[in-house]
Amino acid sequence: MSSPTQLTAWQALAQHQQDMASVHMTELFADDATRAKSFKTSAAGWTLDYSKNRANTDTIKLLLQLVEQAGMKPAIEGMFNGEPINNTENRSVLHVALRASKAQETLMVDGVNVLDEVRSTLKQMETFVSQLHSGKWRGYSDKKITDVVSIGIGGSYLGPKVVAEALTPYKHDDIDVHFVANIDGSDITDKLKRLNAETTVFIVSSKSFGTLETLHNANAARAWCLDQGVPETDIKKHFAAVSSNVEKAVNFGMAEENIFPMWDWVGGRYSLWSAIGLPIAVAVGMDHFYELLDGAHAMDKHFETAPFDQNLPVIMGALGVWYSNFHNAQTHALIPYDHYLRAMPAHIQQLDMESNGKANLVDGSGVATDTGPIIWGGAGTNGQHAYHQLLHQGTRLVPVDFIAPLKTHNPVADHHAQLFANCVSQAQALMVGKSLEQAKQELRDAGASETQVEEIAPHKVIPGNRPSNTLLTEQLTPFTTGSLIALYEHRTFVQGTIWGINSFDQWGVELGKVLGTDIYNRLVNETDNQQLDASTQALIMAFKDAQ
Ligand code: F6P
């Protein structure tokens, strides 16, 4: 695997970046009357307007050459065919199989038709969800279940939480779904405070069933149930689990009939489409869960088959590389103008940063380029009164994705038009900016003296030429939520493929787990800490002294 810097398209882009350095986006619009139309593409319920980028048709041409030269076509085929593209763990990467169309009958991995497993798990989920919703599933005291608490962390938490929140308008009336992730006891304490064990079911989601936080919280939930009067023999009426390690789940005390399978070929951060998504299905019903899968499948099909110049994940991925590697952009912001998508940046942050925060090429040699940027963001308009200042006038270039539905689920007076107007005007302001002359004129119009004009005007200049994409959909539905998240999954893969890294392992996170255990042992036991650095020793002592 060689570095992408060796590719001719990479070198051409480096030269092209210099040619484009002094070009303002407003000039690109002035020079091309068709730009708004030609820098636009649609798929699976979303339209991407990428016209507000520092890119002309030559830029896009070169970026697509880079995509081709980086081997995107075989990479996509390899993923969809179940090749072990996660080379450090020798695993296939088949989240796309979890949402495969019903027409597809087989997808073989190691001699097993994974689609059979996927479909039988979906049936198992259907039974569980309908039993909960119909009231057939009862707690130990024969009461109907009113609350489901999902316990998990990382990919076994964020995706389901974010999607369940995104689909709030589709929520089932009778059951509330809650999420606990943090090992901080305050998380589970606060969640359980208002719940009654008689009417509560816990879903413990852990692919490995070995994750510290999840096992601690599951133990706490179990102790709470027993404390609240659930007899030991009836504990299984209050617990279900999702895991690829059935043996560990059983050893933990889960009843085998309440364990939903997961597979090695699904990465944690790509797993909301599996039984890890059970809390979503409980929250919105299985029909909506199937619509979510359909939306993701529609984006999969688009990614697999659309020409690259119309391919949303490819275009967004390539533009991300353009800014990360040719404009030194260190971060990328996601700003959904939709209250229900307010937590989405956190999910995409995990998805992208755990996937592409890598410094080695697939063959193990070091990268010669920057890889995954820092992903961050939050809901508009709230961010406009906080970090947008830096987007407009800061020294750093931050490419932004604006995400907005055209229709709201909650019409309140003119709120939605105001919300949408803010989304559009932020993208416009980032691009157009405000010149010194405009700033001066504004001040003069407001009656400022010439001394004030000279003093204040420079502070009001907004350079503009700051890039953004705008993603629009008719309405946020299970289908469009599914396709949106799948879009970002594939965008992540596109970038990982260009950089030549493995987007599907996470060895950096594993190290943190090991070190955490060592320090924990030092906190609770008498240990000789002399060989540790002085700062770590002092922090350990601070904790011990406070107990
Ligand atoms: O945080 C690291 C990680 O390994 C994630 O990739 C994963 O989603 C999460 O931990 C939880 O793991 P598990 O589902 O095995 O409990």
Side-chain angles (χ1 to χ4, degrees), residues 481-512:
T481 300
S483 56
L484 178 66
I485 293 175
L487 163 61
Y488 277 93
E489 288 178 350
H490 296 319
R491 174 190 182 276
T492 300
F493 177 53
V494 165
Q495 296 194 335
T497 303
I498 294 174
W499 289 317
I501 58 179
N502 175 1
S503 298
F504 302 106
D505 57 12
Q506 59 283 318
W507 297 106
V509 180
E510 307 303 332
L511 172 70

Side-chain angles (χ1 to χ4, degrees), residues 449-517:
S449 69
E450 271 315 299
T451 318
Q452 285 170 323
V453 167
E454 289 306 318
E455 218 172 85
I456 307 295
H459 297 279
K460 293 191 145 218
V461 171
I462 297 175
N465 209 22
R466 305 224 159 165
S468 67
N469 293 315
T470 304
L471 275 165
L472 296 182
T473 191
E474 177 87 0
Q475 189 158 41
L476 197 64
T477 63
F479 185 94
T480 53
T481 300
S483 56
L484 178 66
I485 293 175
L487 163 61
Y488 277 93
E489 288 178 350
H490 296 319
R491 174 190 182 276
T492 300
F493 177 53
V494 165
Q495 296 194 335
T497 303
I498 294 174
W499 289 317
I501 58 179
N502 175 1
S503 298
F504 302 106
D505 57 12
Q506 59 283 318
W507 297 106
V509 180
E510 307 303 332
L511 172 70
K513 292 180 186 173
V514 177
L515 293 181
T517 308

Side-chain angles (χ1 to χ4, degrees), residues 230-247:
V230 181
E232 182 92 47
T233 46
D234 277 341
I235 210 86
K236 68 175 182 194
K237 295 182 178 165
H238 295 270
F239 277 86
V242 185
S243 186
S244 62
N245 198 331
V246 176
E247 199 184 326

Side-chain angles (χ1 to χ4, degrees), residues 153-156 206-208 211 268-269 354 506 509-510 513:
I153 199 162
S156 300
S206 176
K207 181 178 167 184
S208 59
T211 303
R269 51 196 176 273
E354 202 169 43
Q506 59 283 318
V509 180
E510 307 303 332
K513 292 180 186 173

